[in-house]
Amino acid sequence: YYYYFSLSLSLFLSLSLCLSRSLPLFFYEEAREGKVAAKGQKLFPTSALFKEWGANLSEDEQREAQGLFEKYGYNVFLSDRLPLDRVLPDTRDKGRCLKKTYPKELPTIGVVLIYLNEALSVLKRALRSIIDRTPKYLLKEIIMVDDNSSNGWLVGYKRRKLLRHNEQRGLAFARASGWRAATADVVAILDAHIEVHEMWAEPLLTQIKKDRTVVVSPVFDRVNFDDLKVIQYLPAAHAFDWALWCMYEGFTPEYYKLNDASLPGKSPSVMGILVAERKFLGEIGVLDEGMKVYGGENVELGIRVWTCGGSIEVVPCSKIAHIERYHKPYMPDLGPAMKRNALRVAEVWMDEYKHNVNLAWNIPFENHGIDIGDVTERKKLRERLNCKPFKWYIENVYPKLDPWDNLLAYGGMTNLDTKMCIDQGPVPGHTPIAYQCFYYGPQYTYYRSSGELYVGGIKSHKYNDNRCLTDMGNKETEPGLFNCKEAMQKRMGIYWDFTQGKELKNRQTKRCLEIHNSKLLIQECTGQKWEIQNVIKDF
């Protein structure tokens, strides 16, 4: 499925001499010729690329820049005109990181760059930064993994150590391909649209030398997709919600009590860029190559590392600048692939909590019709490694994740007398309404055993607040929809007694939620009946 072309390290390092610098942008602007568009005139006024950039480009240059932006999702026109060895702002903690020293005796590192349809200048800049900013005695190899790019001229760029898939296999498979080709003590699996900072490798290798079972990540600074400026990001944990979408999150309270922003922080997961001892990563199963296209593989790795004997850390003194693409190259809508991969993770690793993924994606618990592939080998891997249960992971690694273990029912809440549904109504706003049932986002309801009824969605984390259906009391005849904590502070009634096919009565006021003349009301109970779409547990 791929061919493998290898260069010796010495030959490969000579690549830095071949990656010639382009003219600085200011020189280009001075020297260029051509028709300049009238000041302020934009040929693509709705393009995100030109929102803050490109005011002085000619019409031909605007067309060229827009075409490249549509193809790659970032500003290739500008990238082609920036120095390959441009200086990055040093965003490390100057009080601590810059004073740290690291052992000379460290493991060797092999860098794997994963790409699909990446611009040549961006690839060159990534390579140049790695070669120039990694000590030669530590950098053993650079491996480029091309997941079947369609731009043939990029494929034909000959000075590389390359794995090329003859069909697109997705991120997880591409990363595993790079791992298989690596020979260094430690493997760093990176996106190819990055630039490493000075001293990026030493802090990561030091942590792995201390503990071979730790998987580490640098802190990513954001490179704007339009002007390619580097924006500092502060250290944060790599987290996820129940749909397995990635997100940043604060470290534990205990971490911040140490008052040292240079210390590594424990993280529930990784964003996808990861550094690990090569053999240890192999022992625990590398990545799930049954994942398709994009998404979920990083969360799967995080759960697996923590439950099967390792740990994950974000290392603040290691910095990598990462281009934030405006759109990704795999497909316009990543939702179907994410959904499929999330269900695969749930089936293998989440035990009795696996249906929370179904809840997050609003799909049936059984017979959902989504082919997640064969998970037999991944289940055998989990058994062979004697991994801890997912309940342990929630309680000890990711207690911020709401286990949703007291949810009784979810879906559309239908009034059987009027055949209308509860709807969250205008947003922003605090007034739910009765509306024709369509069983989609604004009509998602969730009923908990505590009596809370959320309308319009449910949050994945304990630190977020859901919106509770409320009886505001007094003479109010309209129900309210408020953040649950706010409603409690204002002594609104947020708890409801409900049985499937029966009335919906507020526990505090003893009034019912009903619909009259297509209007949602709170009033004395007349016996109207309600039914929620999906029942999880009998109640």
Side-chain angles (χ1 to χ4, degrees):
Y1 60 89
Y2 60 74
Y3 67 81
Y4 180 65
F5 178 82
S6 176
L7 293 174
S8 68
L9 180 61
S10 60
L11 178 58
F12 187 77
L13 291 177
S14 70
L15 178 60
S16 60
L17 300 177
C18 303
L19 299 179
S20 58
R21 298 177 53 162
S22 298
L23 289 175
L25 185 60
F26 72 86
F27 185 93
Y28 169 79
E29 292 286 356
E30 292 277 336
R32 68 181 172 82
E33 295 179 357
K35 180 181 175 184
V36 177
K39 190 172 183 180
Q41 179 181 341
K42 294 181 179 180
L43 298 182
F44 305 97
T46 61
S47 172
L49 179 63
F50 294 105
K51 187 175 181 181
E52 311 246 342
W53 174 86
N56 296 319
L57 295 185
S58 71
E59 293 182 0
D60 286 345
E61 289 165 343
Q62 288 186 52
R63 290 188 186 94
E64 180 184 351
Q66 178 65 18
L68 290 167
F69 174 61
E70 290 174 0
K71 183 174 182 179
Y72 292 101
Y74 50 72
N75 194 341
V76 178
F77 181 91
L78 176 58
S79 175
D80 291 348
R81 289 155 178 82
L82 289 178
L84 296 179
D85 60 349
R86 69 166 176 165
V87 177
L88 299 179
D90 195 336
T91 59
R92 294 173 294 170
D93 186 302
K94 293 177 175 56
R96 294 184 175 92
C97 288
L98 298 188
K99 296 179 181 178
K100 284 185 181 289
T101 58
Y102 301 98
K104 281 290 182 185
E105 297 296 323
L106 288 171
T108 59
I109 189 168
V111 179
V112 176
L113 295 177
I114 307 297
Y115 67 94
L116 171 68
N117 295 340
E118 208 77 72
L120 185 57
S121 60
V122 168
L123 271 176
K124 286 182 177 181
R125 194 169 291 110
L127 290 165
R128 184 68 175 263
S129 72
I130 293 165
I131 292 166
D132 289 353
R133 296 168 186 158
T134 312
K136 289 181 173 55
Y137 73 95
L138 294 178
L139 181 62
K140 185 174 183 182
E141 60 204 352
I142 301 177
I143 300 162
M144 300 169 70
V145 182
D146 181 343
D147 195 22
N148 195 238
S149 295
S150 60
N151 44 348
W153 55 269
L154 184 61
V155 172
Y157 188 70
K158 295 181 179 179
R159 294 181 177 88
R160 81 287 196 202
K161 183 175 182 180
L162 174 69
L163 301 175
R164 172 163 162 75
H165 299 155
N166 57 19
E167 62 178 317
Q168 188 178 306
R169 303 301 297 265
L171 282 181
F173 193 93
R175 288 169 176 152
S177 291
W179 171 84
R180 277 190 288 270
T183 60
D185 301 323
V186 169
V187 61
I189 302 177
L190 314 178
D191 291 338
H193 42 277
I194 56 95
E195 297 161 73
V196 300
H197 286 252
E198 295 287 349
M199 297 286 290
W200 76 281
E202 292 90 326
L204 303 173
L205 295 174
T206 298
Q207 292 304 110
I208 292 172
K209 183 179 180 180
K210 290 178 185 176
D211 179 1
R212 71 180 293 266
T213 69
V214 66
V215 175
V216 294
S217 172
V219 174
F220 317 135
D221 286 333
R222 188 186 81 219
V223 178
N224 293 337
F225 68 84
D226 52 357
D227 61 13
L228 301 186
K229 289 181 180 177
V230 178
I231 307 300
Q232 180 181 5
Y233 267 23
L234 297 177
H238 300 170
F240 57 92
D241 61 16
W242 279 114
L244 305 200
W245 288 108
C246 298
M247 55 186 289
Y248 285 117
E249 199 173 74
F251 294 121
T252 63
E254 292 73 23
Y255 175 86
Y256 294 107
K257 288 177 184 176
L258 299 173
N259 198 29
D260 185 349
S262 71
L263 294 174
K266 298 296 184 183
S267 179
S269 185
V270 290
M271 283 290 187
I273 289 179
L274 63 111
V275 183
E277 191 201 65
R278 180 175 56 84
K279 290 183 179 178
F280 172 71
L281 193 57
E283 290 166 10
I284 63 164
V286 197
L287 287 157
D288 182 358
E289 296 177 53
M291 297 286 188
K292 289 187 176 179
V293 188
Y294 177 95
E297 75 286 340
N298 52 324
V299 176
E300 190 271 350
L301 176 66
I303 296 169
R304 177 159 42 88
V305 168
W306 275 109
T307 59
C308 303
S311 62
I312 295 175
E313 292 179 349
V314 173
V315 182
C317 292
S318 173
K319 282 293 193 98
I320 287 181
H322 177 268
I323 295 178
E324 183 181 57
R325 266 189 158 119
Y326 187 74
H327 56 261
K328 297 184 184 296
Y330 279 95
M331 57 179 60
D333 180 12
L334 292 171
M338 275 292 308
K339 183 190 302 184
R340 182 258 184 202
N341 290 347
L343 289 170
R344 184 177 172 91
V345 175
E347 182 62 32
V348 177
W349 296 101
M350 292 186 174
D351 305 326
E352 68 269 30
Y353 298 92
K354 68 180 182 179
H355 292 313
N356 287 355
V357 173
N358 299 64
L359 278 171
W361 285 99
N362 197 43
I363 55 179
F365 286 8
E366 307 293 339
N367 303 318
H368 48 64
I370 299 171
D371 181 8
I372 65 171
D374 188 355
V375 296
T376 304
E377 290 304 317
R378 300 310 285 183
K379 287 185 174 182
K380 287 181 180 177
L381 172 71
R382 183 184 181 188
E383 184 178 352
R384 184 168 69 251
L385 295 175
N386 194 28
C387 303
K388 294 181 176 69
F390 191 71
K391 183 178 177 65
W392 176 91
Y393 176 83
I394 289 182
E395 292 174 349
N396 295 276
V397 178
Y398 202 9
K400 294 178 181 179
L401 198 63
D402 186 342
W404 291 352
D405 48 8
N406 68 341
L407 274 178
L408 299 178
Y410 71 102
M413 177 76 84
T414 306
N415 183 292
L416 298 180
D417 296 84
T418 65
K419 307 302 181 186
M420 298 182 78
C421 281
I422 302 174
D423 189 291
Q424 69 179 2
V427 175
H430 297 285
T431 306
I433 61 174
Y435 200 80
Q436 178 182 351
C437 296
F438 55 84
Y439 307 117
Y440 197 63
Q443 294 184 357
Y444 289 166
T445 62
Y446 300 84
Y447 185 58
R448 301 193 94 148
S449 60
S450 56
E452 293 160 303
L453 183 64
Y454 307 146
V455 181
I458 185 172
K459 306 293 187 181
S460 291
H461 300 92
K462 294 176 182 176
Y463 53 75
N464 286 328
D465 207 358
N466 292 288
R467 300 183 79 203
C468 276
L469 182 73
T470 66
D471 182 344
M472 293 180 282
N474 301 322
K475 298 180 180 179
E476 294 290 341
T477 59
E478 287 187 340
L481 191 59
F482 293 87
N483 287 343
C484 300
K485 292 175 184 176
E486 177 188 354
M488 288 185 67
Q489 289 170 354
K490 294 181 177 179
R491 304 190 178 210
M492 299 178 187
I494 68 170
Y495 301 111
W496 299 84
D497 288 324
F498 170 62
T499 301
Q500 187 79 313
K502 300 290 180 65
E503 62 190 8
L504 185 57
K505 180 186 287 188
N506 189 272
R507 199 174 290 173
Q508 179 175 317
T509 67
K510 307 302 181 185
R511 300 194 297 180
C512 282
L513 184 75
E514 299 191 345
I515 298 176
H516 288 276
N517 297 322
S518 299
K519 187 175 177 63
L520 200 61
L521 298 172
I522 296 282
Q523 61 177 30
E524 295 300 319
C525 303
T526 66
Q528 284 194 0
K529 300 178 177 60
W530 293 86
E531 187 174 271
I532 195 165
Q533 197 174 5
N534 303 297
V535 174
I536 301 172
K537 303 171 186 174
D538 290 332
F539 62 97

